[in-house]
Amino acid sequence: MKTLSFSTLKTVATGSIVAALLAVTTGCVTAPNGYNGYNGYDDLYEHTHKDNKGHKKHKDKKNDKNSYVSVVEQRAASKVRSMGYRVKDVKYKNGDRKIKIKAERGRDDYKIELGYPSYNVIKLEKD
């Protein structure tokens, strides 16, 4: 009978430990997705697969209209400021073809009407 040397015994033991760890690790990684109720991708992709109908249902349309109106008013105020006026008030109603602006230049007050969507000056009068 042949006796095993210490180095051979050490190599066999190390190989057995590595094989056991590899088998356990592979078993954990290749477990089915529904194993114990855990899916590794649930948390990662949950927000991308939400039902769009629910999102659209709660969308506030009033805020969309107000934000659009405010953009129109800001652009009109910017146009009047570039003409050298200091803007006091801007009024625009959704669907209107005119933007009404109260502004001042020097010590004089002015009423200015801009056309929408061109933002061209329609009327300029001293108040």
Side-chain angles (χ1 to χ4, degrees):
M1 204 166 154
K2 201 172 188 188
T3 59
L4 294 174
S5 68
F6 181 71
S7 65
T8 308
L9 188 59
K10 186 176 166 183
T11 305
V12 170
T14 305
S16 299
I17 292 172
V18 169
L21 288 173
L22 186 60
V24 168
T25 305
T26 305
C28 290
V29 172
T30 59
N33 281 342
Y35 185 69
N36 287 337
Y38 177 75
N39 182 353
Y41 298 105
D42 272 346
D43 299 333
L44 184 62
Y45 296 109
E46 182 178 3
H47 66 281
T48 59
H49 299 291
K50 287 185 177 176
D51 187 13
N52 287 338
K53 291 178 185 175
H55 176 69
K56 290 177 183 177
K57 180 180 174 184
H58 297 293
K59 191 173 181 182
D60 189 7
K61 295 187 183 215
K62 187 175 183 181
N63 281 342
D64 288 345
K65 289 180 183 178
N66 289 340
S67 65
Y68 176 72
V69 168
S70 69
V71 169
V72 171
E73 290 175 348
Q74 287 173 3
R75 288 185 85 186
S78 177
K79 165 83 175 187
V80 172
R81 274 191 220 106
S82 71
M83 294 170 22
Y85 293 90
R86 192 172 31 208
V87 176
K88 289 182 171 182
D89 188 30
V90 181
K91 291 187 181 177
Y92 172 73
K93 291 181 183 174
N94 200 8
D96 244 357
R97 303 298 285 172
K98 295 180 185 178
I99 306 165
K100 297 179 182 180
I101 301 171
K102 291 182 182 179
E104 68 178 20
R105 187 182 220 180
R107 293 185 178 182
D108 299 326
D109 290 337
Y110 292 89
K111 287 185 179 178
I112 303 170
E113 286 186 7
L114 299 180
Y116 180 77
S118 65
Y119 295 97
N120 292 331
V121 177
I122 296 173
K123 191 187 226 183
L124 180 86
E125 66 181 35
K126 226 177 203 182
D127 193 20

